[in-house]
Amino acid sequence: MSAAKSSQAASFAKDLQEARCLLAPVFGEAYCTKRPWMLLLAAVWIAVNRLQHQEPEAPSISSDDWRTSNSALEAKATALSLPSRPGETWEKWRDRVAQKLGGRG
């Protein structure tokens, strides 16, 4: 099992525990035991709410991606403070970025 899956499983276990803590004082512990579907429903509601408010992971960009993607080139050039010149082609801009990097990738 990957680390992401194990952390999601641990989070859902926490969601189940939180659901039990929410339902037991209202309906009683016996209610949660006799009607596990209600406990699962509450846990799913908590999990969905948690996932909706979770920050998405930023995609990882390798150092050579800027050579193959125009949007990655723009990001790399912006990071290097190297804006495109008026009328400059993508290829010429890519060459200037490569020249500024001097083989650093």
Side-chain angles (χ1 to χ4, degrees):
M1 185 182 301
S2 70
K5 286 184 181 179
S6 65
S7 68
Q8 287 174 350
S11 294
F12 190 70
K14 283 183 175 179
D15 296 337
L16 274 170
Q17 191 175 32
E18 187 177 342
R20 183 175 293 280
C21 290
L22 289 172
L23 293 178
V26 177
F27 299 106
E29 189 65 38
Y31 184 85
C32 295
T33 305
K34 290 180 183 176
R35 293 176 181 82
W37 60 269
M38 190 65 146
L39 184 65
L40 285 173
L41 183 63
V44 167
W45 180 78
I46 291 168
V48 167
N49 191 36
R50 175 179 45 82
L51 291 171
Q52 283 178 336
H53 293 92
Q54 195 173 36
E55 291 289 324
E57 291 184 21
S60 63
I61 298 175
S62 74
S63 60
D64 289 333
D65 280 352
W66 65 270
R67 297 177 192 267
T68 57
S69 164
N70 291 344
S71 59
L73 170 64
E74 285 179 302
K76 186 68 155 184
T78 301
L80 294 171
S81 299
L82 201 64
S84 67
R85 295 176 179 156
E88 185 175 37
T89 65
W90 288 102
E91 290 305 313
K92 292 208 184 253
W93 194 16
R94 194 168 279 115
D95 290 342
R96 278 197 312 121
V97 169
Q99 185 179 15
K100 173 124 182 186
L101 288 171
R104 289 184 293 142

